[in-house]
Amino acid sequence: MLMAFSTWQEIDARLARSRAIVVPIGSNEQHGPTGLLGTDWLCPEIIAHRASKASDILVAPTFNIGMAQHHLGFPGTISLRPSTFQAAIGDWMGSLAGCGFDRIYFLNGHGGNTNSIEAAFSEIYAKFSFGGHRAPFLLKLRNWWDLPGVMALAKNLFPTGHGSHATPSEIAITQAAYPEMVKSVAYAPQIAPEGPIYDALDFRARFPDGRIGSDPGLATLEKGCQLIDAAVRGLVEDLGTFVAEASPRPPSSVD
Ligand code: NI
């Protein structure tokens, strides 16, 4: 079930039986010479939308702009600064928690988002902790490549040239979902350099075409299908564990 294609009455009825929701979250940023700018929000969206068809999962609209200051040296990158991003996550959370969601699962597609998302979670929890109250909801962050079974498959599919940005894994997932958007562009070297991340101009100087350690030409539609299938299975399992194990209800009247 997709929130965007639901009415408020349908969401209201669903809340009576399930208070869990998945929020795909990512970034709109350069992904090398062959990667789509939307790669980091498309991947979690593709996986979450497929999972919603395979299982009874509600998916929120995709939070498609993240913390990508280091990619701002490349046209097409749109970034929030960490403080803006964290504030926006707080407002999304407040909106979802306010209407009754109590298991809010962020499926993330951009490594640069993770610190800010975790900091945003801590800010939200701190409001309750300093007040001596339990939060009436639980929050979870999972990167799609950390879903059960996904990284093992990626290593198997791409034993060399996987890298950490504009990876063949993420490119393959977008190819599988949007085959009409596959780009064919020559690039060199075949495997991009590795290195640290600082500011945007430093990034562009170190990584001239935007890739880090990757050879995205290894991506194929078929490998993308395998990765999507593994990620969908992993998401259904991981969300199920989160919903079943988490217990936000206070055990006594201390609340
Ligand atoms: Ni990416």
Side-chain angles (χ1 to χ4, degrees), residues 31 40 109 165 170:
H31 267 75
D40 279 2
H165 185 64
E170 57 185 351

Side-chain angles (χ1 to χ4, degrees), residues 10-225:
E10 288 169 334
I11 298 300
D12 198 36
R14 183 183 173 91
L15 279 163
R17 62 184 178 80
S18 170
R19 293 178 174 269
I21 188 163
V22 173
V23 183
I25 189 167
S27 176
N28 201 86
E29 65 186 44
Q30 70 82 14
H31 267 75
T34 61
L36 307 179
L37 285 156
T39 298
D40 279 2
W41 64 262
L42 286 166
C43 287
E45 180 177 279
I46 291 162
I47 295 161
H49 285 198
R50 295 281 173 90
S52 80
K53 289 180 182 163
S55 187
D56 182 28
I57 291 174
L58 176 63
V59 180
T62 300
F63 195 138
N64 63 7
I65 302 297
M67 208 309 287
Q69 65 79 19
H70 46 297
H71 294 295
L72 284 170
F74 296 85
T77 297
I78 303 172
S79 179
L80 300 174
R81 65 192 65 212
S83 53
T84 315
F85 186 40
Q86 289 168 34
I89 292 169
D91 288 350
W92 274 59
M93 296 300 317
S95 303
L96 293 173
C99 63
F101 291 101
D102 68 5
R103 307 287 197 287
I104 304 173
Y105 183 109
F106 282 80
L107 184 64
N108 179 47
H110 174 47
N113 282 352
T114 56
N115 288 345
S116 292
I117 296 173
E118 292 288 4
F121 286 3
S122 293
E123 284 286 352
I124 293 162
Y125 286 137
K127 291 192 181 81
F128 294 92
S129 298
F130 281 103
H133 303 293
R134 290 189 66 165
F137 49 77
L138 294 174
L139 313 173
K140 187 176 183 74
L141 167 63
R142 181 71 79 194
N143 301 318
W144 66 258
W145 54 88
D146 290 327
L147 287 166
V150 173
M151 190 48 78
L153 175 61
K155 285 181 176 167
N156 189 262
L157 292 173
F158 308 110
T160 60
H162 189 268
S164 58
H165 185 64
T167 69
S169 291
E170 57 185 351
I171 305 292
I173 288 175
T174 62
Q175 288 182 348
Y178 299 99
E180 70 279 18
M181 297 298 173
V182 173
K183 314 288 184 182
S184 181
V185 179
Y187 55 82
Q190 200 66 28
I191 296 180
E194 301 271 1
I197 294 174
Y198 298 109
D199 66 21
L201 293 182
D202 182 276
F203 188 108
R204 180 133 188 189
R206 284 176 197 277
F207 313 110
D209 71 6
R211 297 172 294 144
I212 304 180
S214 68
D215 178 6
L218 297 168
T220 67
L221 193 152
E222 292 73 22
K223 290 176 180 176
C225 289

